[in-house]
Amino acid sequence: MSNSSFDHHITVFSPQGHLYQMEYALKAATSGNNTAVAVRGNNTAAFITQKKVPDRLIDASYLTSIYKITDTIGCLMIGLQPDIRTQINRVRREAAEFRFDNGYPMPVHVLAKKIADLNQVHSQEASQRTLACMCLMIGVDDEKASQVFKIDPAGTFLPYKAVATGKSEQDAMNFLEKKVNEFENMDEENTIEMAISTMQHILSTDFKPTEIEIGVVTLGKRFRVLNNEEVEERLNSIQTKAEE
Amino acid sequence: MSSTGAGYDYSCSQYSPDGRIFQVEYAIKAVESSGTAIGLKCRDGIVLGVEKPQISKMLMNNSNRRIFGINNTTGGLITGYPADGRQLINRAREEAQSYEDTYGHSIIPSILANRLALYTHYFTLHYSLRPFGTALLFVGYDEDMKQSELYMVEPNGMVRRYFGCAAGKGSQAANTELEKIYVKHGGIEGLTCKEAVKYIAQIMYTVRDSSNDKPFELEMAWALNENNHKFQHVPKELIDEADEYGKNNIIPDNNNNNNISEGVEETKMEE
């Protein structure tokens, strides 16, 4: 803990070398009650999160954590909803401008780096606060097939074979680490099922298709969010395999 | 970890050690201390209503408007600081106009919601700005999806689509009453706008603190399907009727268990 409150006001280093505002922003981003998991398979990638409707009076069809950025890139954002909205606006704009300026779709790793760099600026310039949102970005392109990136408020971004973030991040990562060798050969359906199994493991309850949201992208196909029937199919498939 | 925010609440550009932004939370408190506002979606349209406490007997009735039109089929209700609210309404009108100029189509409510959310959120990012001390409830008609929609934009930049929402002093109690109404009518399909006008008045009278609160004036507006979704004020006769109804039918304080247990699990509110 810092002994000088000066550190807490703007983005300066504490005597111990911490950037406290970044740490607080990270806390704000993962303070919600949900967890998100993303998994990369063979030429495919999928992510999953819980869908919680806080109130019966809210129209649930408007709530989502999954956002399509381009035909081949999708983002799952958790954190403060208003910050997420602004961040998504930026991500979409960057991707669209790239496509317009360069004539070809923005590769995922370039977009991830761009967003991470934008986040980093806020940690160095005092003019604007950091946006409290964690981004899991999945995409396919012809350079590197499928990729999964996690971008945090401080501007760190890393490619992953599988990653989790949010409340049960540690549990999920432990689960995924044990299975990491299976990922390379997984096709679309198996990738989705791996993501669902991770979720089932962390939550240790059964869930209905309406309580989760899944997004998937595969080489040759567009990014899409699974509808209830497709989720149901995958849940049944996991059930059948477990019984064998 | 302090929950009072002391030292971390001077500007929007600071997080507290808990990861909260206190300036935004304070702005939300500004909304919570203003008159109750309610929006209610029905099968034939959407109704907005707000209670305006009578601050002085010298004020003329129907002045100090809280409900404004944004375009022909879109309109909003401001809560909290009226001056901040009017800025937001101005922005909404500009967004709607510029969308129509660029795309030749009247603005889609979800797009307007997105833009207002981004705009409101912007004011929570910078050291040199303060958040809006107002929540905006607005209704619009989506021509492609063929449905009327009700949104609420909050000072922190959060926007959601609702079947029923409330803001202001009595918002918690009002939200509970709104849920009961939905359960009783089996969802939006069972409710008409004329009934909603009466219910809103009834809720206003129920949730106010009759010992402390001053007499109030009701301002209501609706967008009816049968009127081509045109956003307009509710006719005065209906408001007066609703006022009478509300005054004489205050919902008693004891928990009406029969209301809550009927069909709570089966009620579908998604369209």
Side-chain angles (χ1 to χ4, degrees):
Chain A
M1 277 312 264
S2 154
N3 44 16
S4 159
S5 63
F6 183 62
D7 302 342
H8 297 169
H9 287 253
I10 43 177
T11 52
V12 287
F13 285 106
S14 77
Q16 290 79 30
H18 291 259
L19 275 177
Y20 278 108
Q21 280 294 306
M22 286 304 107
E23 295 180 15
Y24 299 160
L26 211 66
K27 216 179 205 178
T30 51
S31 63
N33 216 5
N34 55 357
T35 310
V37 174
V39 182
R40 186 188 82 187
N42 188 11
N43 288 337
T44 182
F47 49 35
I48 182 174
T49 187
Q50 296 160 266
K51 182 161 176 165
K52 290 189 178 164
V53 186
D55 193 331
R56 266 194 300 193
L57 289 172
I58 295 175
D59 186 343
S61 61
Y62 190 69
L63 286 182
T64 180
S65 305
I66 297 185
Y67 301 88
K68 175 176 145 171
I69 309 298
T70 67
D71 279 345
T72 51
I73 305 178
C75 264
L76 197 170
M77 300 279 236
I78 62 169
L80 299 182
Q81 205 242 39
D83 290 11
I84 290 176
R85 190 180 292 278
T86 297
Q87 186 73 309
I88 287 292
N89 203 36
R90 247 184 235 170
V91 178
R92 283 175 172 159
R93 197 165 24 127
E94 291 297 335
E97 277 176 8
F98 185 98
R99 171 79 182 74
F100 182 75
D101 291 337
N102 300 296
Y104 72 98
M106 193 168 196
V108 195
H109 65 279
V110 179
L111 180 59
K113 180 169 191 301
K114 184 76 199 212
I115 298 307
D117 287 347
L118 285 172
N119 280 348
Q120 190 279 339
V121 171
H122 301 152
S123 75
Q124 210 170 0
E125 284 180 21
S127 55
Q128 187 174 321
R129 67 168 173 85
T130 343
L131 294 176
C133 47
M134 281 292 233
C135 176
L136 293 184
M137 195 184 279
I138 61 171
V140 287
D141 52 46
D142 49 13
E143 292 180 28
K144 291 189 186 176
S146 61
Q147 296 153 86
V148 168
F149 280 92
K150 174 165 129 171
I151 306 161
D152 75 8
T156 321
F157 83 106
L158 289 168
Y160 283 90
K161 293 177 188 167
V163 69
T165 183
K167 186 158 160 247
S168 311
E169 177 178 333
Q170 209 41 59
D171 278 343
M173 293 292 258
N174 292 341
F175 179 84
L176 289 165
E177 274 172 27
K178 294 189 191 120
K179 309 215 166 195
V180 69
N181 295 324
E182 297 172 37
F183 297 166
E184 289 178 318
N185 299 318
M186 291 194 310
D187 64 3
E188 183 178 304
E189 292 175 355
N190 285 322
T191 311
I192 298 173
E193 287 172 20
M194 175 63 72
I196 297 180
S197 310
T198 316
M199 212 55 166
Q200 282 173 332
H201 170 85
I202 329 168
L203 295 179
S204 48
T205 52
D206 280 326
F207 35 69
K208 295 186 278 204
T210 46
E211 291 170 5
I212 50 175
E213 289 187 280
I214 303 178
V216 66
V217 65
T218 307
L219 198 59
K221 294 204 265 184
R222 290 181 173 185
F223 171 79
R224 70 185 206 281
V225 177
L226 299 188
N227 60 30
N228 284 341
E229 288 82 39
E230 292 172 302
V231 177
E232 187 80 61
E233 249 183 74
R234 295 277 69 73
L235 286 172
N236 290 337
S237 166
I238 296 179
Q239 185 79 350
T240 331
K241 285 182 191 163
E243 283 161 11
E244 279 164 14
Chain B
M1 297 292 172
S2 87
S3 57
T4 54
Y8 302 109
D9 54 357
Y10 293 120
S11 79
C12 276
S13 59
Q14 310 168 11
Y15 284 99
S16 77
D18 293 339
R20 293 158 69 179
I21 306 161
F22 279 97
Q23 268 297 298
V24 174
E25 293 189 17
Y26 296 163
I28 294 177
K29 284 201 180 129
V31 172
E32 284 171 7
S33 58
S34 75
T36 313
I38 298 178
L40 194 48
K41 186 171 172 178
C42 315
R43 85 163 164 257
D44 58 343
I46 306 186
V47 189
L48 295 176
V50 64
E51 74 162 303
K52 298 190 298 195
Q54 196 185 53
I55 12 183
S56 152
K57 295 205 175 109
M58 306 288 266
L59 280 175
M60 290 179 67
N61 278 348
N62 281 332
S63 62
N64 189 25
R65 288 274 185 207
R66 303 296 211 97
I67 298 186
F68 299 90
I70 295 169
N71 73 16
N72 209 23
T73 53
T74 313
L77 190 169
I78 55 179
T79 62
Y81 292 139
D84 288 10
R86 282 195 292 274
Q87 282 292 344
L88 206 48
I89 290 282
N90 261 348
R91 180 73 190 200
R93 285 173 172 166
E94 282 169 13
E95 294 284 359
Q97 188 59 56
S98 95
Y99 186 94
E100 192 155 348
D101 287 343
T102 315
Y103 301 104
H105 186 286
S106 61
I107 192 164
I108 299 171
S110 53
I111 292 187
L112 181 60
N114 197 41
R115 294 204 182 168
L116 290 175
L118 289 170
Y119 184 67
T120 317
H121 179 244
Y122 182 76
F123 287 79
T124 69
L125 290 177
H126 293 271
Y127 173 79
S128 54
L129 300 169
R130 66 160 175 86
F132 282 98
T134 183
L136 172 70
L137 282 77
F138 76 91
V139 310
Y141 179 67
D142 188 334
E143 287 166 20
D144 304 310
M145 301 296 280
K146 301 227 174 357
Q147 60 183 27
S148 308
E149 297 175 341
L150 167 67
Y151 292 91
M152 180 156 75
V153 184
E154 293 171 48
N156 55 1
M158 176 95 83
V159 73
R160 288 177 176 146
R161 188 161 70 210
Y162 290 87
F163 299 112
C165 61
K169 251 187 291 218
S171 59
Q172 276 196 0
N175 271 325
T176 319
E177 295 303 329
L178 286 173
E179 277 204 44
K180 285 191 203 154
I181 291 175
Y182 271 121
V183 169
K184 189 166 132 197
H185 287 263
I188 336 173
E189 291 305 310
L191 200 55
T192 63
C193 283
K194 292 222 170 93
E195 290 174 339
V197 170
K198 291 219 183 83
Y199 279 132
I200 290 180
Q202 185 183 33
I203 295 177
M204 298 290 192
Y205 274 103
T206 308
V207 304
R208 65 192 285 261
D209 185 0
S210 43
S211 49
N212 282 338
D213 287 353
K214 304 189 183 76
F216 66 88
E217 190 194 342
L218 274 175
E219 187 180 345
M220 295 210 214
W222 60 17
L224 293 175
N225 292 354
E226 64 195 16
N227 261 351
N228 262 326
H229 317 279
K230 189 166 147 74
F231 185 78
Q232 49 198 174
H233 275 95
V234 173
K236 189 161 191 317
E237 313 80 57
L238 282 175
I239 300 188
D240 290 340
E241 253 181 60
D243 201 53
E244 270 310 301
Y245 176 83
K247 214 178 288 184
N248 300 324
N249 287 298
I250 296 178
I251 302 167
D253 206 11
N254 48 333
N255 268 326
N256 279 330
N257 288 320
N258 30 325
N259 274 347
I260 300 175
S261 60
E262 269 168 20
V264 160
E265 301 309 318
E266 300 99 60
T267 305
K268 283 193 171 48
M269 291 220 261
E270 284 114 70
E271 289 207 279

